[in-house]
Amino acid sequence: GGREGIVDELFLQENYRHQGWGKQALQFAAEQCKVRGICAMHVDVNWINEPAEAIYKHLGFKGLERRRMTKWLADCPPVVPSS
């Protein structure tokens, strides 16, 4: 239970990989979740993306015995990030 954060669609261009940028982004996201009282953070990773899954596990993420399901709502307006 409680509030949860979700990191979805985290991609780095090839020339920025293996430099710690992804790790820094996830650490920043975790810090932001903590200050907002969010008690769990999830990352979405494609089943075939084993390198990304290995990084997430190294950073403390664990696989759940669940599968996320999504229903796209055509009548939902696009989310505009606040500044």
Side-chain angles (χ1 to χ4, degrees):
R3 296 175 69 193
E4 300 177 352
I6 300 171
V7 175
D8 185 30
E9 304 294 331
L10 175 62
F11 293 96
L12 294 176
Q13 291 182 353
E14 190 74 38
N15 56 326
Y16 289 101
R17 294 180 187 164
H18 308 290
Q19 298 179 34
W21 292 108
K23 178 180 178 178
Q24 287 182 41
L26 289 168
Q27 288 173 331
F28 178 78
E31 291 167 11
Q32 295 303 306
C33 285
K34 288 178 187 177
V35 300
R36 288 165 173 73
I38 295 171
C39 58
M41 189 171 94
H42 308 281
V43 293
D44 283 344
V45 60
N46 290 331
W47 293 102
I48 60 172
N49 194 344
E50 293 177 5
E53 185 176 349
I55 292 167
Y56 297 145
K57 286 181 179 179
H58 177 75
L59 293 174
F61 289 89
K62 296 181 182 355
L64 298 177
E65 296 297 323
R66 296 179 178 199
R67 182 173 302 166
R68 175 180 289 167
M69 299 173 69
T70 304
K71 178 179 179 180
W72 297 104
L73 304 175
D75 56 346
C76 276
V79 176
V80 179
S82 60
S83 44

